[in-house]
Coordinates of all heavy atoms in Angstrom, one line a residue:
V57 N 54.3 30.8 4.8 CA 55.2 30.2 3.9 C 55.8 31.2 3.0 O 55.0 32.0 2.4 CB 54.5 29.1 3.0 CG1 55.4 28.4 2.0 CG2 53.9 28.0 4.0
R58 N 57.2 31.3 2.9 CA 57.8 32.4 2.2 C 58.8 31.9 1.2 O 59.9 31.4 1.7 CB 58.4 33.4 3.1 CG 57.4 34.4 3.8 CD 56.8 35.3 2.8 NE 55.7 36.1 3.3 CZ 54.4 35.8 3.4 NH1 54.1 34.6 2.9 NH2 53.5 36.5 3.9
D59 N 58.6 32.1 -0.1 CA 59.5 31.8 -1.2 C 60.2 30.4 -1.1 O 61.3 30.2 -1.4 CB 60.6 32.8 -1.2 CG 60.1 34.2 -1.4 OD1 59.2 34.4 -2.3 OD2 60.6 35.2 -0.8
V60 N 59.4 29.4 -0.7 CA 59.9 28.1 -0.5 C 60.1 27.4 -1.9 O 59.3 27.4 -2.7 CB 58.9 27.2 0.3 CG1 59.3 25.7 0.2 CG2 58.9 27.7 1.7
T61 N 61.4 26.9 -2.1 CA 61.8 26.3 -3.4 C 62.4 25.0 -3.1 O 63.2 24.9 -2.2 CB 62.8 27.3 -4.1 OG1 62.2 28.5 -4.3 CG2 63.3 26.7 -5.4
V62 N 62.0 24.0 -3.9 CA 62.5 22.6 -3.7 C 62.8 22.1 -5.2 O 62.0 22.3 -6.1 CB 61.5 21.7 -3.1 CG1 62.0 20.2 -3.1 CG2 61.1 22.2 -1.7
R63 N 64.0 21.6 -5.3 CA 64.4 21.0 -6.6 C 64.8 19.5 -6.4 O 65.4 19.2 -5.4 CB 65.6 21.7 -7.2 CG 65.3 23.1 -7.7 CD 66.6 23.8 -8.3 NE 66.3 25.1 -8.9 CZ 66.3 26.2 -8.2 NH1 66.7 26.1 -6.9 NH2 66.0 27.3 -8.8
F64 N 64.4 18.7 -7.3 CA 64.8 17.3 -7.3 C 65.6 17.1 -8.6 O 65.1 17.0 -9.6 CB 63.6 16.3 -7.3 CG 62.8 16.4 -6.1 CD1 61.5 16.8 -6.2 CD2 63.3 16.2 -4.8 CE1 60.7 16.9 -5.0 CE2 62.5 16.3 -3.6 CZ 61.2 16.7 -3.8
G65 N 67.0 17.1 -8.5 CA 67.8 17.2 -9.6 C 67.5 18.4 -10.5 O 67.6 19.6 -10.0
G66 N 67.2 18.2 -11.7 CA 66.9 19.4 -12.6 C 65.4 19.8 -12.6 O 65.0 20.7 -13.3
I67 N 64.6 19.1 -11.8 CA 63.1 19.4 -11.7 C 62.9 20.4 -10.6 O 63.2 20.1 -9.4 CB 62.3 18.1 -11.5 CG1 62.6 17.2 -12.7 CG2 60.8 18.4 -11.4 CD1 61.9 15.8 -12.6
V68 N 62.2 21.4 -10.8 CA 61.7 22.4 -9.8 C 60.4 21.9 -9.3 O 59.4 22.1 -10.0 CB 61.6 23.8 -10.4 CG1 61.2 24.8 -9.2 CG2 63.0 24.2 -10.9
A69 N 60.3 21.4 -8.1 CA 59.1 20.8 -7.5 C 58.3 22.0 -7.0 O 57.0 22.0 -7.0 CB 59.3 19.7 -6.5
L70 N 58.9 22.9 -6.3 CA 58.3 24.1 -5.8 C 59.1 25.3 -6.2 O 60.3 25.4 -6.0 CB 58.1 24.1 -4.3 CG 57.2 23.0 -3.6 CD1 57.3 23.0 -2.2 CD2 55.8 23.2 -4.1
D71 N 58.4 26.3 -6.7 CA 59.1 27.5 -7.2 C 58.7 28.8 -6.5 O 57.7 29.4 -6.8 CB 58.8 27.6 -8.7 CG 59.7 28.7 -9.4 OD1 60.5 29.3 -8.7 OD2 59.5 28.9 -10.6
A72 N 59.4 29.1 -5.4 CA 59.2 30.3 -4.7 C 57.8 30.5 -4.2 O 57.1 31.5 -4.4 CB 59.6 31.5 -5.4
I73 N 57.2 29.5 -3.5 CA 55.8 29.4 -3.0 C 55.7 30.3 -1.8 O 56.5 30.1 -0.8 CB 55.4 28.0 -2.7 CG1 55.4 27.1 -4.0 CG2 54.0 28.0 -2.1 CD1 54.5 27.6 -5.1
S74 N 54.7 31.2 -1.7 CA 54.4 32.0 -0.6 C 52.9 32.1 -0.3 O 52.1 32.2 -1.3 CB 55.0 33.4 -0.8 OG 56.4 33.4 -0.8
F75 N 52.5 31.9 0.9 CA 51.1 32.2 1.3 C 51.0 32.1 2.8 O 52.0 31.6 3.5 CB 50.2 31.1 0.7 CG 50.3 29.7 1.1 CD1 49.7 29.2 2.2 CD2 51.2 28.9 0.5 CE1 49.8 27.9 2.6 CE2 51.4 27.6 0.8 CZ 50.7 27.0 1.9
D76 N 50.0 32.6 3.4 CA 49.7 32.5 4.8 C 48.5 31.7 5.1 O 47.6 31.6 4.3 CB 49.5 33.9 5.4 CG 50.7 34.8 5.3 OD1 51.9 34.3 5.2 OD2 50.6 36.1 5.3
V77 N 48.5 31.1 6.3 CA 47.3 30.5 6.8 C 46.9 31.2 8.1 O 47.7 31.1 9.1 CB 47.5 29.0 7.1 CG1 46.2 28.4 7.6 CG2 47.8 28.3 5.7
A78 N 45.7 31.8 8.2 CA 45.3 32.5 9.4 C 44.9 31.6 10.5 O 44.3 30.5 10.2 CB 44.2 33.5 9.0
R79 N 45.1 31.9 11.7 CA 44.7 31.1 12.8 C 43.2 31.0 12.8 O 42.5 32.0 12.6 CB 45.1 31.8 14.1 CG 45.0 30.9 15.4 CD 45.4 31.7 16.6 NE 46.8 32.1 16.5 CZ 47.9 31.4 17.0 NH1 47.6 30.2 17.5 NH2 49.1 31.9 16.9
G80 N 42.7 29.8 12.9 CA 41.2 29.6 13.0 C 40.6 29.4 11.6 O 39.4 29.3 11.5
H81 N 41.4 29.3 10.5 CA 40.9 29.2 9.2 C 41.0 27.7 8.7 O 41.9 27.0 9.2 CB 41.6 30.1 8.2 CG 41.1 31.5 8.2 ND1 41.3 32.3 7.1 CD2 40.2 32.1 9.1 CE1 40.7 33.5 7.3 NE2 40.0 33.4 8.5
I82 N 40.2 27.4 7.7 CA 40.4 26.1 6.9 C 40.9 26.6 5.6 O 40.2 27.4 4.9 CB 39.1 25.4 6.8 CG1 38.6 24.9 8.1 CG2 39.4 24.2 5.8 CD1 37.2 24.3 8.1
C83 N 42.2 26.2 5.2 CA 42.8 26.6 4.0 C 42.9 25.4 3.1 O 43.5 24.4 3.4 CB 44.1 27.3 4.3 SG 45.1 27.8 2.7
G84 N 42.4 25.5 1.9 CA 42.5 24.4 0.9 C 43.7 24.7 0.0 O 44.1 25.8 -0.4
L85 N 44.4 23.6 -0.3 CA 45.6 23.6 -1.2 C 45.3 22.6 -2.4 O 45.1 21.4 -2.2 CB 46.8 23.1 -0.4 CG 48.2 23.2 -1.2 CD1 48.5 24.7 -1.5 CD2 49.3 22.6 -0.3
I86 N 45.1 23.2 -3.6 CA 44.6 22.4 -4.7 C 45.6 22.5 -5.8 O 46.5 23.4 -5.9 CB 43.2 22.9 -5.1 CG1 43.3 24.3 -5.7 CG2 42.2 22.8 -4.0 CD1 42.0 24.7 -6.4
G87 N 45.4 21.7 -6.8 CA 46.2 21.6 -8.0 C 46.2 20.3 -8.7 O 45.9 19.3 -8.0
P88 N 46.4 20.2 -9.9 CA 46.5 18.9 -10.6 C 47.6 18.0 -10.1 O 48.4 18.5 -9.3 CB 46.8 19.3 -12.1 CG 46.5 20.7 -12.2 CD 46.7 21.3 -10.9
N89 N 47.6 16.7 -10.5 CA 48.6 15.9 -10.1 C 50.0 16.4 -10.5 O 50.1 16.9 -11.6 CB 48.4 14.5 -10.7 CG 47.3 13.7 -10.1 OD1 47.0 13.9 -9.0 ND2 46.7 12.8 -10.9
G90 N 51.0 16.4 -9.6 CA 52.3 16.9 -9.9 C 52.4 18.4 -9.7 O 53.4 19.0 -10.0
A91 N 51.4 19.0 -9.1 CA 51.5 20.4 -8.9 C 52.4 20.9 -7.8 O 52.9 22.0 -7.8 CB 50.1 21.0 -8.6
G92 N 52.7 20.0 -6.9 CA 53.6 20.3 -5.8 C 53.0 20.3 -4.4 O 53.6 20.6 -3.4
K93 N 51.8 19.9 -4.3 CA 51.0 19.9 -3.0 C 51.7 19.0 -2.0 O 51.9 19.4 -0.8 CB 49.6 19.5 -3.2 CG 48.8 20.2 -4.3 CD 47.4 19.8 -4.5 CE 47.2 18.4 -4.9 NZ 47.8 18.1 -6.2
T94 N 51.9 17.7 -2.3 CA 52.5 16.8 -1.4 C 53.9 17.2 -1.0 O 54.3 17.1 0.2 CB 52.4 15.4 -1.9 OG1 51.1 15.0 -2.1 CG2 53.1 14.4 -0.9
T95 N 54.7 17.7 -2.0 CA 56.0 18.2 -1.7 C 56.0 19.3 -0.7 O 56.8 19.3 0.3 CB 56.7 18.7 -3.0 OG1 56.8 17.7 -3.9 CG2 58.0 19.3 -2.7
L96 N 55.0 20.2 -0.8 CA 54.9 21.3 0.2 C 54.5 20.7 1.6 O 55.1 21.2 2.6 CB 53.8 22.3 -0.3 CG 53.6 23.5 0.7 CD1 54.8 24.3 0.9 CD2 52.5 24.4 0.1
F97 N 53.6 19.8 1.6 CA 53.2 19.1 2.9 C 54.4 18.5 3.5 O 54.7 18.6 4.7 CB 52.1 18.1 2.7 CG 50.8 18.5 3.1 CD1 50.4 19.8 3.0 CD2 49.9 17.6 3.7 CE1 49.1 20.3 3.4 CE2 48.6 18.0 4.1 CZ 48.2 19.4 3.9
N98 N 55.3 17.9 2.7 CA 56.5 17.2 3.3 C 57.5 18.2 3.7 O 58.3 17.9 4.7 CB 57.1 16.3 2.2 CG 56.3 15.0 2.0 OD1 55.6 14.6 2.8 ND2 56.5 14.4 0.8
C99 N 57.5 19.4 3.2 CA 58.3 20.5 3.7 C 57.8 21.0 5.1 O 58.6 21.2 6.0 CB 58.4 21.7 2.8 SG 59.3 21.4 1.2
L100 N 56.5 21.1 5.2 CA 55.9 21.5 6.4 C 56.1 20.5 7.5 O 56.2 20.8 8.7 CB 54.4 21.7 6.2 CG 54.0 22.9 5.3 CD1 52.5 22.9 5.1 CD2 54.3 24.2 6.0
S101 N 56.2 19.2 7.1 CA 56.4 18.1 8.1 C 57.9 17.9 8.4 O 58.3 17.0 9.1 CB 55.8 16.8 7.6 OG 54.4 16.9 7.4
R102 N 58.8 18.6 7.7 CA 60.2 18.5 7.7 C 60.7 17.2 7.2 O 61.8 16.7 7.5 CB 60.7 18.7 9.2 CG 60.4 20.1 9.7 CD 61.1 21.2 8.9 NE 62.6 21.2 9.0 CZ 63.4 21.2 8.0 NH1 63.0 21.2 6.8 NH2 64.7 21.1 8.2
L103 N 59.9 16.5 6.3 CA 60.4 15.3 5.7 C 61.3 15.6 4.5 O 62.1 14.9 4.1 CB 59.2 14.5 5.2 CG 58.3 13.9 6.3 CD1 57.0 13.3 5.7 CD2 59.0 13.0 7.2
Y104 N 61.0 16.8 3.9 CA 61.8 17.4 2.8 C 62.5 18.6 3.3 O 61.9 19.4 4.0 CB 61.0 17.7 1.6 CG 60.5 16.5 0.8 CD1 59.6 16.7 -0.3 CD2 60.8 15.2 1.1 CE1 59.1 15.6 -1.0 CE2 60.4 14.1 0.3 CZ 59.5 14.3 -0.7 OH 59.0 13.3 -1.4

């Protein structure tokens, strides 16, 4: 994931997010409510 940015109107839901997931790893994605986790998942699923 490289510099992924998502805006909903004037709200920045994801601000230049970058990270890698290595093959064969379990990677946790955490954060408080509204942190952008589900938005990122929806980008990975091509829903957003």
